[in-house]
Amino acid sequence: MKYVPSYINLYKEGILEERANAIYEIIQECKLCPHNCGVNRIKSEKGKCNSASLPIVSSYNLHFGEESCLVGNSGSGTIFFTNCNLSCIFCQNYDISHLGYGNEISYEELAKTILSLQARGAHNINFVSPTHMIYSILMSLLIAIPEGLNIPLVYNSGGYDSFEVLRILDGIFDIYMPDLKYMNSEISELLSGVGDYPDSAAIAIKEMHRQVGDLIVHKGIASRGLLVRHLVLPNNIASTDRVISFIADLSKDTYINIMDQYRPAYRARECFDLRRRVTLQEYDEAVSLARKAGLRRIDA
């Protein structure tokens, strides 16, 4: 039986429109993320994410570089939003996230983009950096769903998400795919400009898991659930051991992608520990920690 995303019923019952209206109220004194900037984005005031109320998209395509359970044979329909609510000095997409590469479009254009990716065979619609673009996403869904949108939606965030906003999103996103970058507040302040990242991300990820549970994969394709990403950094500066411990406590069946692709980029050389790539030994130790913690679904 084909998986039917829950957002379809939310739309039919008028609940999705109610959720969009609730987000509209929030962005008039923006508290979409833990920064709580308080700006009126409807009036084009901009806070930490440097974004107003319309979507800003840098690129979109069928993406084959994501996890295999998202990509399948046809690819993940990935939409990269411009700007970010984090200020990571080692960002490998800094031209998009920090330099603002992209174009502002209408909600109707975003809806057409979503539908075009589905028409090309995408297994899902993968919203990259959606935290600051939630209102735009919901507005585009209100247009795309009656036009036939019916595949899973992926919330692909940096992990710095608001618990209160996530509660509003309950039932809209099928797959949550957050980063869990660090579990050390001094490091998160130094590298991403947010000292409360560990606590905020932990609360957010627990709520994501409450909503969708462990990742469900059928015939190699994910339909619903939580997938956590963690990028291993040199000298265990990200406190990978504490990241693994948190995820294992959440559920031993949490699907975790332990990533090894760190390279010095953007302003990474400002931090001595980030001036080199991760060694094979460091990466192997991270994977070994995950196995010792009892995690059963490790993408490594």
Side-chain angles (χ1 to χ4, degrees), residues 25-288:
E25 295 298 321
I26 288 174
I27 65 171
Q28 291 184 70
E29 192 175 343
C30 195
K31 294 180 175 62
L32 273 188
C33 80
H35 281 301
N36 294 324
C37 293
V39 299
N40 189 333
R41 292 174 58 185
I42 297 298
K43 294 184 177 180
S44 296
E45 295 175 5
K46 298 177 181 179
K48 294 283 188 179
C49 67
N50 197 34
S51 304
S53 60
L54 288 174
I56 313 173
V57 174
S58 65
S59 65
Y60 65 92
N61 214 329
L62 293 177
H63 193 11
F64 292 87
E66 302 285 63
E67 287 76 1
S68 60
C69 60
L70 296 181
V71 168
N73 295 320
S74 303
S76 177
T78 305
I79 300 173
F80 287 89
F81 289 114
T82 300
N83 299 326
C84 183
N85 68 334
L86 292 172
S87 303
C88 303
I89 65 172
F90 58 92
C91 181
Q92 297 180 16
N93 294 318
Y94 65 89
D95 55 338
I96 299 170
S97 299
H98 298 310
L99 303 185
Y101 175 81
N103 297 300
E104 187 175 83
I105 61 175
S106 67
Y107 306 129
E108 291 79 10
E109 287 174 299
L110 181 56
K112 288 179 181 178
T113 298
I114 291 169
L115 291 168
S116 72
L117 290 168
Q118 176 176 274
R120 292 169 61 190
H123 293 292
N124 47 69
I125 301 299
N126 185 348
F127 297 106
V128 182
S129 298
T131 305
H132 62 302
M133 287 285 132
I134 282 301
Y135 183 65
S136 296
I137 293 171
L138 297 191
M139 291 300 290
S140 69
L141 293 180
L142 289 172
I143 299 168
I145 294 169
E147 293 296 321
L149 178 66
N150 61 7
I151 56 177
L153 304 178
V154 182
Y155 187 95
N156 181 348
S157 82
Y160 196 56
D161 294 289
S162 162
F163 170 79
E164 291 77 13
V165 171
L166 288 172
R167 291 298 294 265
I168 295 172
L169 301 180
D170 192 356
I172 297 174
F173 291 92
D174 306 275
I175 298 170
Y176 282 108
M177 187 164 63
D179 292 331
L180 185 50
K181 295 179 182 292
Y182 333 94
M183 290 300 277
N184 180 306
S185 60
E186 292 182 4
I187 294 301
S188 66
E189 175 67 39
L190 175 68
L191 302 186
S192 294
V194 282
D196 64 337
Y197 179 90
D199 290 339
S200 295
I203 292 169
I205 291 172
K206 285 180 181 178
E207 172 60 16
M208 293 174 182
H209 186 260
R210 184 197 69 79
Q211 290 183 22
V212 297
D214 295 323
L215 193 68
I216 297 171
V217 180
H218 180 65
K219 294 184 178 179
I221 303 297
S223 58
R224 180 178 175 86
L226 175 69
L227 190 163
V228 180
R229 287 171 162 176
H230 175 66
L231 179 66
V232 180
L233 296 177
N235 297 323
N236 195 30
I237 193 172
S239 299
T240 295
D241 49 336
R242 292 165 60 186
V243 168
I244 294 296
S245 179
F246 169 81
I247 294 172
D249 287 344
L250 187 67
S251 169
K252 295 294 193 296
D253 284 319
T254 302
Y255 191 112
I256 178 172
N257 183 0
I258 301 176
M259 302 182 293
D260 65 351
Q261 63 262 43
Y262 172 76
R263 67 181 190 281
Y266 192 38
R267 296 164 43 213
R269 294 185 183 279
E270 294 176 12
C271 175
F272 179 80
D273 286 313
L274 296 183
R275 294 181 181 181
R276 64 168 175 83
R277 291 177 178 266
V278 171
T279 65
L280 180 60
Q281 180 179 352
E282 287 173 321
Y283 180 71
D284 286 346
E285 287 175 355
V287 174
S288 178

